[in-house]
Amino acid sequence: MNATTHPEEPEHKLTLRHLKKEDYPNLKALMDYVYPGLGGAWPLKKFRAQLAVFPDGQICIEDHGIIVAAAFSVIVDYDKFGDQHTYDEITGDAYLTKHDPSGDVLYGVDVFVSPDYHGMRLGRRLYEARKELCQNLNLKSIVAGGGESPTTRIFLTNSPHRPTSSKSKRKKFTTLF
């Protein structure tokens, strides 16, 4: 135990919550850390647009008040895009200008976890929160784009209504929404 650790405080105090405008400096630092070779964080203008367009789709996990993981989402009418779309087309260059509240699919714009927190299943917790959002909004599926770079995308779809099971040890979270 080092001099700054207090025995009465838990090692981690993880809280899942919606992102807020005042989170940008902390989120920017995390994105710069996670994506150094891809240009780092989105500009403040883009982050504010994401929160203004679809605040319920922008979530994070914090540890003792510091953001350590985040996920961004948008609702789209998938028939307007199909499988042959680019990331910029479906996300409106991540400004979420293609958000359609009457759409049928929750599209995963981005998800990232601090490398210091890898192995703690935080990405899984963010996915579970997206799945819950999808169920609450009665959307038919979640589509996530991913790949080695913003121009290489692998698309994954999953119905949020399919039961899942996990035998792994669960982390204790406080959920604020």
Side-chain angles (χ1 to χ4, degrees):
M1 178 165 40
N2 65 40
T4 61
T5 302
H6 302 288
E8 67 277 0
E9 289 185 20
E11 180 182 0
H12 295 288
K13 184 177 180 188
L14 301 171
T15 303
L16 176 71
R17 66 173 177 80
H18 291 105
L19 283 160
K20 305 174 286 196
K21 289 178 187 175
E22 55 269 19
D23 288 326
Y24 183 74
N26 187 233
L27 184 72
K28 180 183 183 321
L30 177 60
M31 289 184 82
D32 287 345
Y33 181 48
V34 171
Y35 296 128
L38 295 174
W42 286 314
L44 176 60
K45 181 179 176 182
K46 193 171 285 192
F47 176 66
R48 285 186 174 161
Q50 293 163 340
L51 293 182
V53 169
F54 185 40
D56 288 345
Q58 319 324 319
I59 57 177
C60 70
I61 296 174
E62 63 179 29
D63 187 9
H64 294 284
I66 304 296
I67 296 172
V68 297
F72 294 81
S73 305
V74 64
I75 298 172
V76 296
D77 178 349
Y78 203 74
D79 288 339
K80 290 181 180 176
F81 298 96
D83 293 336
Q84 300 302 316
H85 63 268
T86 68
Y87 175 84
D88 287 344
E89 287 170 345
I90 202 163
T91 68
D93 191 26
Y95 280 94
L96 310 189
T97 56
K98 305 301 180 177
H99 178 70
D100 181 351
S102 60
D104 59 345
V105 168
L106 187 69
Y107 186 87
V109 175
D110 201 354
V111 61
F112 49 92
V113 176
S114 168
D116 301 334
Y117 287 77
H118 285 184
M120 293 180 64
R121 301 185 58 82
L122 301 187
R124 174 50 122 179
R125 182 62 186 106
L126 291 167
Y127 177 76
E128 290 298 323
R130 276 184 176 165
K131 193 166 90 171
E132 184 178 327
L133 176 63
C134 196
Q135 289 170 332
N136 291 342
L137 296 174
N138 200 29
L139 302 173
K140 76 176 185 182
S141 65
I142 299 171
V143 175
E148 295 175 10
S149 74
T151 57
T152 306
R153 296 289 165 194
I154 301 164
F155 296 97
L156 308 170
T157 62
N158 191 9
S159 167
H161 307 290
R162 211 176 299 151
T164 59
S165 64
S166 174
K167 295 181 182 177
S168 65
K169 188 172 138 184
R170 295 185 179 249
K171 302 281 182 224
K172 185 174 180 179
F173 281 89
T174 304
T175 303
L176 297 181
F177 54 84

